[in-house]
Amino acid sequence: MSRTRTALLSALALVAGTAGAAVAAIPQDVGALAVPCTVDYKVQNQWDSGFTAAVTVTNNSAAKSSWSVKWSYAGNQKVTSGWNARISQSGTAVTAANESYNGTLATGGSVSFGFNGSYSGTNALPTAFTLDGVACNVDDGGGGPTDPPEEPGDRVDNPYAGAKVYVNPEWSAKAAAEPGGSRIADQPTGVWLDRIAAIEGVGSGMGLRDHLDEALEQKGSGELAVQLVVYNLPGRDCAALASNGELGATEIDKYKTQYIDPIAAILKDSKYAGLRIVTTVEIDSLPNLVTNVTPRATATANCDTMKANGNYIKGVGYALNKLGDAPNVYNYVDAGHHGWLGWDDNFAPSAALFKQAATAEGATVADVHGFIVNTANYSALKENHFTINDTVNGASVRTSKWIDWNRYTDEQSYALAMRNQLVSIGFGSGIGMLIDTSRNGWGGTARPTGPGATTSVDTYVDGGRYDRRIHLGNWCNQSGAGLGERPQAAPVAGIDAYVWIKPPGESDGSSTAIPNDEGKGFDRMCDPTYTGNPRNNNNMSGALANAPLSGHWFSAQFQELMKNAYPAL
Ligand code: BGC
């Protein structure tokens, strides 16, 4: 899988200034429901010359197959780039029309889109909107029919609280067979359903029922959470090659009927009703539709294809809907990591896309229990030697090469901010975050013990950072990485657990091309001699040599992860 960074910032995001989270609401003037439509326009983020806004439109009249929303600005606001709608502006009048993939708007249904804009003076909120020429009510954000439904009563708030977590016997055996491996072989790790055959079991390997039966054994009379990774979208991992997977870009029906439906059927078996089943849903998919598409320099043809055909959104929506039917399933959607989505022009647009997927194909936000960050990535949990607000000789650390205008320095601050963002656009206020800490420890002898020299922002950040990668966009078998925090429930408010979803010791991708029947290509980000691409700003890959195919056991990496563990073993 790829943990693509994205990238280069739009000119807009480069504008320095206050990062205020100005959330504005408009007074509601008429009673709800009688009106044909409701519009909720929120400024989510605003700085001295720009802003990010999110708009949700609810249709209370006949179902539509296309739509167009209009408003006017009182000031000099200009929409500069939008997402999930085609937005145009003439003078002060703005028109937002559906994209090819979100034209359908049922009676009672809603659709969300967003945009970045510029302004000067006052960013006054528009006060009147139309949907297809008909005046809408303006939502004040409180109460009303668009609020997310409550979660079913039998789900607990945090499935990890008071529960053991399933130890995958297959991973455990490989870990225990390594010198020193018994120190961690009893840790819980993710069970990856990375192809259709994994449901029954690949070769003589365990299938999904085998794992769930074993989970019942491990559970005994207490509570137990089992962690599944749902990872088989059509056109999978569109910005990289190491984990492209078995389904072609158009094979959404196969995904539904031969992959999700059989998994959902097993999870709904009453035999497993006592297990807390955590699913992490489709890593490395949705954010690619924001960061690795035309016109960005980081675009790939495959990501353009997946954006145009909508199959990531449909697949994720379908998975959430079907898996969410089982009351003991806890869906966590992948939300990238700070080194991918921590830039202003990626952050809110990605959250908006998660919402779109979570309300596609019959899914609702109630099907989403939370989100997971840093899956299979290496971003440090907490950088203690600098904060995003630090300056050196008057220059913000955001201007350093390493941070490069990102808003976050580490995964924990990113996870909590993303959680707030997601709640602000309509996900339940009870959602919890998971952080994959399997390989983000960065201990060992290279770990800095204090801040870097204050000669420049670069010496300060580079001298102090735990994350020793050559570039934040590097994602494959990173040299110098160590095991991170051991899995644990509820480490801080808002975080449901630190988890080991990527099983330590399993490769991210081969360092040279290896023929195979697993749909795994060769991505040069896994080749230590590779000099990079726009997604890692043309830096060396930092990958370990002699790596096997993604998912295969990589003993040398496992040993290095133990050696550099932080906390140490
Ligand atoms: C691979 C999967 C594997 C997973 C866990 C992914 O990169 O594509 O096949 O199961 O990593 O190691």
Side-chain angles (χ1 to χ4, degrees), residues 7 9 19 35 65 78 84 103 134 195 222 252 272 288 304 343 360 391 449 457 465 472 485 491 527 531 542 546:
L9 301 168
V35 287
S65 57
K78 286 269 175 303
N84 298 339
V134 178
R195 65 198 94 166
I252 184 70
Y272 305 125
N288 277 314
D304 279 342
W343 284 270
T391 57
T449 54
V457 282
R465 62 181 162 93
L472 199 50
E485 286 286 344
D527 169 357
T531 53
N546 304 316

Side-chain angles (χ1 to χ4, degrees), residues 15 28 92 178 198 210 256 277 303 349 428 454 458 498 503 517 519 554:
V15 176
Q28 185 162 1
T92 57
E178 289 279 339
D210 301 324
K256 291 179 177 178
I277 301 174
C303 291
T454 52
D458 287 321
Y498 296 151
D517 60 2
F554 188 10

Side-chain angles (χ1 to χ4, degrees), residues 1 192 194-195 231 236 243 502-503 506-508 520 550-551:
M1 19 161 317
W192 287 62
D194 66 345
R195 65 198 94 166
Y231 185 51
R236 192 174 76 184
S243 286
K502 176 75 185 184
E506 293 188 11
S507 172
D508 296 318
K520 311 270 171 73
S550 66

Side-chain angles (χ1 to χ4, degrees), residues 68-387:
S68 152
V69 178
K70 293 185 199 278
W71 67 89
S72 291
Y73 285 117
N76 62 359
Q77 293 98 329
K78 286 269 175 303
V79 174
T80 51
S81 66
W83 47 91
N84 298 339
R86 288 166 293 152
I87 307 181
S88 57
Q89 185 166 359
S90 164
T92 57
V94 180
T95 302
N98 63 279
E99 295 271 13
S100 57
Y101 54 79
N102 65 358
T104 309
L105 192 49
T107 306
S110 41
V111 65
S112 300
F113 58 90
F115 57 90
N116 287 329
S118 63
Y119 77 104
S120 63
T122 307
N123 184 14
L125 299 169
T127 52
F129 298 85
T130 60
L131 172 61
D132 294 337
V134 178
C136 297
N137 195 0
V138 179
D139 188 11
D140 66 354
T146 60
D147 272 12
E150 291 302 310
E151 288 194 345
D154 32 10
R155 280 194 189 109
V156 295
D157 175 51
N158 180 355
Y160 290 85
K164 290 188 284 192
V165 188
Y166 175 64
V167 178
N168 178 349
E170 294 185 319
W171 176 81
S172 182
K174 286 181 207 148
E178 289 279 339
S182 60
R183 291 173 296 171
I184 58 165
D186 60 353
Q187 291 292 351
T189 54
V191 173
W192 287 62
L193 302 171
D194 66 345
R195 65 198 94 166
I196 290 165
I199 301 169
E200 290 300 318
V202 177
S204 59
M206 294 170 77
L208 179 54
R209 281 188 181 277
D210 301 324
H211 283 294
L212 297 178
D213 290 341
E214 170 65 19
L216 287 173
E217 295 283 316
Q218 291 183 19
K219 174 180 180 296
S221 57
E223 297 291 346
L224 178 132
V226 49
Q227 310 176 113
L228 306 178
V229 182
V230 175
Y231 185 51
N232 200 32
L233 275 180
R236 192 174 76 184
D237 209 7
C238 63
L241 301 169
S243 286
N244 282 165
E246 65 186 353
L247 298 182
T250 59
E251 294 190 283
I252 184 70
D253 291 336
K254 197 166 173 191
Y255 178 79
K256 291 179 177 178
T257 60
Q258 295 184 38
Y259 181 68
I260 294 297
D261 290 350
I263 294 174
I266 295 172
L267 301 189
K268 273 187 258 180
D269 188 333
S270 59
K271 189 178 170 191
Y272 305 125
L275 296 172
R276 298 177 180 177
I277 301 174
V278 167
T279 57
T280 60
V281 178
E282 296 296 357
I283 57 176
D284 281 338
S285 58
L286 299 171
N288 277 314
L289 307 184
V290 174
T291 69
N292 293 318
V293 291
T294 302
R296 302 253 188 137
T298 49
T300 68
N302 288 339
C303 291
D304 279 342
T305 299
M306 297 321 298
K307 180 173 181 182
N309 70 19
N311 284 343
Y312 279 1
I313 287 167
K314 287 180 204 153
V316 170
Y318 190 84
L320 292 172
N321 180 22
K322 294 293 170 181
L323 303 173
D325 284 347
N328 56 323
V329 166
Y330 298 80
N331 287 319
Y332 289 80
V333 178
D334 185 61
H337 58 97
H338 91 280
W340 186 6
L341 305 183
W343 284 270
D344 290 350
D345 47 355
N346 300 342
F347 188 78
S350 295
L353 201 62
F354 303 154
K355 172 92 181 285
Q356 194 194 338
T359 50
E361 298 278 329
T364 71
V365 291
D367 289 313
V368 177
H369 202 75
F371 289 80
I372 179 163
V373 303
N374 203 44
T375 307
N377 201 261
Y378 297 85
S379 293
L381 183 65
K382 285 179 266 183
E383 291 287 4
N384 294 332
H385 300 317
F386 55 92
T387 78

